[in-house]
Amino acid sequence: MGVYNIRMKWYVLIHFLLLSPSIMAHPVIYKGGSVYWGTFMPQMNIQRLSHSFTPKLAIEAHSNRFQGVNDYQDYQLGINWLVKKWLNQNSQANLYTGVYAGYFDDATSNGLTYQTMLMADWESRTLYTAGSVDAYFYDDDMKFRYSYRFGVAPYKAAMGELQSWLVLKLDYFDDLNTDLMITPMLRFFYNNVLWEMGSSLDGDIFLTLMVHY
Amino acid sequence: MNKKMILLFLILCIPFTALAETVKVFVPGMVCPLCLVGIQKQFKKDVENPKKDVLLDLENKIVTIHTKKKLSDAAIKQKIKNSGYEVKSIERVPTPTDPNETPSDVLQKDALPNLEKQEEAKKP
């Protein structure tokens, strides 16, 4: 119980720390917009499908698979909420949260699982930073996944042009890694498709595909 | 007789109010070409071809829209809001008289206003 309380305090603290700097693309987009978002690594596979009913609220179905965490696999349904958006002349920042519930299965047990997410980002045409915390509650346990990104665009892309980014991604997941996972990657946007390719310093390939429609 | 004349005048005015129009909308905070996908989707029913008639100038944060018929400021603001952004100003571009011009010709011909100068001019 004591360990649980300490972890809860850390969770709250990190939530607030991440309000200023900020992770990935947006879990809530334009009204009527849908997104497929797949992240693939040897030890981690996350697939998400969401639909935004308003520019502030989206429903999401997703599946997480963490091979390193006792072969954990879940299927969840939940909502994403754009808590706050800051629009400046040449930049924007967003704060999102999400809650999900579903079914999990791992090497030793199965049952109900819950997840919460907090994500914040700031981006201009040439700089990009984002951070997120995901908490997974299942089997009387709680695990956290932290992610932080910083990206630089080598040029300003105009409408209809390929947009490119050089991104450094830092990840930490309870039980999955004993060390911080550092992944340099390339990120591209073209029309409604985003894709990322990289490799962690340990040699693990990282791929992301995101399609807006 | 006068009433009939007024009615005739109003009827004659209808086609002019329903004419196509080009609007330039200043939308701060747009930083990537992906922003345009949502805006094109919101104006899909109001334009002939969203990819040609809804254009984005990221440098000046201006969305140029050639609509099939005139849209009110409130309607434009609502559609931009549905895209996740806020309108700062709307400028209506006079419709060209040359019938041979296509919407794309109009958009390319119209030079985008220098918004910084406009902002400066507004300052007291």
Side-chain angles (χ1 to χ4, degrees), chain A residues 173-193:
Chain A
F173 194 159
D174 283 357
D175 295 351
L176 184 65
N177 317 298
T178 50
D179 297 320
L180 194 67
M181 192 188 300
I182 302 169
T183 313
M185 68 173 81
L186 295 172
R187 180 191 220 211
F188 302 100
F189 274 135
Y190 187 69
N191 289 336
N192 61 334
V193 181

Side-chain angles (χ1 to χ4, degrees), chain B residues 62-101:
Chain B
I62 294 173
V63 182
T64 305
I65 309 152
H66 187 84
T67 57
K68 288 188 285 192
K69 60 179 184 178
K70 186 174 179 177
L71 289 176
S72 67
D73 282 8
I76 293 169
K77 284 178 181 174
Q78 185 58 49
K79 287 171 189 286
I80 296 291
K81 193 174 182 181
N82 289 343
S83 313
Y85 294 92
E86 296 289 340
V87 170
K88 190 166 182 185
S89 64
I90 298 173
E91 182 192 347
R92 295 183 185 271
V93 179
T95 306
T97 49
D98 184 354
N100 295 322
E101 279 185 331

Side-chain angles (χ1 to χ4, degrees), chain B residues 29-120:
Chain B
M30 292 188 300
V31 291
C32 71
L34 201 57
C35 302
L36 182 63
V37 177
I39 295 173
Q40 285 175 334
K41 183 156 186 165
Q42 303 307 321
F43 285 95
K44 191 171 65 179
K45 291 178 182 171
D46 305 302
V47 299
E48 294 288 346
N49 182 341
K51 290 194 173 176
K52 286 185 178 173
D53 296 335
V54 183
L55 302 175
L56 172 60
D57 172 9
L58 276 171
E59 195 63 38
N60 294 303
K61 315 297 174 198
I62 294 173
V63 182
T64 305
I65 309 152
H66 187 84
T67 57
K68 288 188 285 192
K69 60 179 184 178
K70 186 174 179 177
L71 289 176
S72 67
D73 282 8
I76 293 169
K77 284 178 181 174
Q78 185 58 49
K79 287 171 189 286
I80 296 291
K81 193 174 182 181
N82 289 343
S83 313
Y85 294 92
E86 296 289 340
V87 170
K88 190 166 182 185
S89 64
I90 298 173
E91 182 192 347
R92 295 183 185 271
V93 179
T95 306
T97 49
D98 184 354
N100 295 322
E101 279 185 331
T102 65
S104 297
D105 293 335
V106 177
L107 295 177
Q108 285 170 10
K109 198 174 76 177
D110 294 327
L112 292 167
N114 187 330
L115 285 161
E116 286 180 3
K117 282 183 184 172
Q118 283 186 3
E119 290 296 314
E120 284 294 321

Side-chain angles (χ1 to χ4, degrees), chain A residues 18 20 47 67 77 79 82 85 99 116 165 167 186 198 200:
Chain A
L18 282 169
S20 47
Q47 303 215 45
Q67 198 172 6
L77 188 66
I79 55 166
L82 171 64
K85 188 176 193 113
V99 289
T116 66
W165 290 84
V167 179
L186 295 172
S200 74

